[in-house]
Amino acid sequence: DRSSEQLAVVGLPCQVLALAKMKCEPPRNRFNILNVKLVIGLFCGWSLLPEPFHRYLQGRFDLTRVVKYDVPHHPANSFDVYTDSGKTEIDLDEIRQFVNPACRLCCDMTSQFADVSVGSGRSMFKGWNTVIVRTEAGREIVDRATRQGLVETQPIPVENLEHLREACRNKTARAIDAITRMTGSDEDLGYLTVEPGIRKELEGLLAVQRKKDAGLHQGGR
């Protein structure tokens, strides 16, 4: 608790939210949470349950030969496994069974409580990341890295930004729907507080998305 060591943390949206809550209500007799000076949050749509997904991969691949995994940019709909002999694409619908159920209750896709948010979603080119600077600490680190030539930056196209906003809104809408189904109440949203006007907008977006999904499924028959 008396340590003055300064830390930077990289985490997923749920982990970043936990840090934000700890700063609002610092834990006692623990490491001083205020020593965390920089939080870099990652984009995240969902995570996979490690043990069952690992068993699934073991059944399909020799994991000693796997070089990397990747979920490529939209509109791709695959989980890619790279081995020393090439790439195998697995349809995302095949692995959704391994998504952590808690992820369906999460409304944050871009780590809103971080100093800097980073993710490949909606970036302009493959190999680039979208970067959202949220605080002065975040701006300072990004500006310093840019001046020193450690990173290269360029403005994100307006259409890409709008696609990112739409994806974020849809994730929030799906989370609200999942929480409502879980609690059986339109009023009890657990840890969320949503203004009525915003909630109505999100419910409208969810209805539109469901129609799109239904159309895709019908077209595939």
Side-chain angles (χ1 to χ4, degrees), residues 9-46:
V9 176
V10 179
L12 297 174
C14 52
Q15 296 163 337
V16 169
L17 175 59
L19 285 171
K21 289 183 175 181
M22 289 170 70
K23 287 187 175 182
C24 291
E25 189 68 33
R28 298 180 181 179
N29 302 318
R30 300 287 183 89
F31 183 86
N32 187 353
I33 188 62
L34 298 181
N35 288 354
V36 176
K37 299 299 183 182
L38 179 70
V39 178
I40 299 176
L42 305 177
F43 290 10
C44 180
W46 37 260

Side-chain angles (χ1 to χ4, degrees), residues 13 17 44 106-113 134 171-172 191:
L17 175 59
C44 180
C106 174
C107 67
D108 186 2
M109 193 182 87
T110 60
S111 296
Q112 298 177 47
F113 295 96
R134 301 188 183 277
K171 180 170 176 59
T172 301
Y191 73 102

Side-chain angles (χ1 to χ4, degrees), residues 89-105:
E89 295 183 3
I90 304 173
D91 194 294
L92 278 183
D93 289 337
E94 188 173 335
I95 67 170
R96 291 190 191 282
Q97 60 183 307
F98 304 110
V99 170
N100 189 330
C103 294
R104 297 187 174 93
L105 308 178

Side-chain angles (χ1 to χ4, degrees), residues 118-129:
V118 182
S120 62
R122 315 301 172 177
S123 57
M124 188 172 182
F125 303 110
K126 185 176 182 179
W128 285 70
N129 285 296

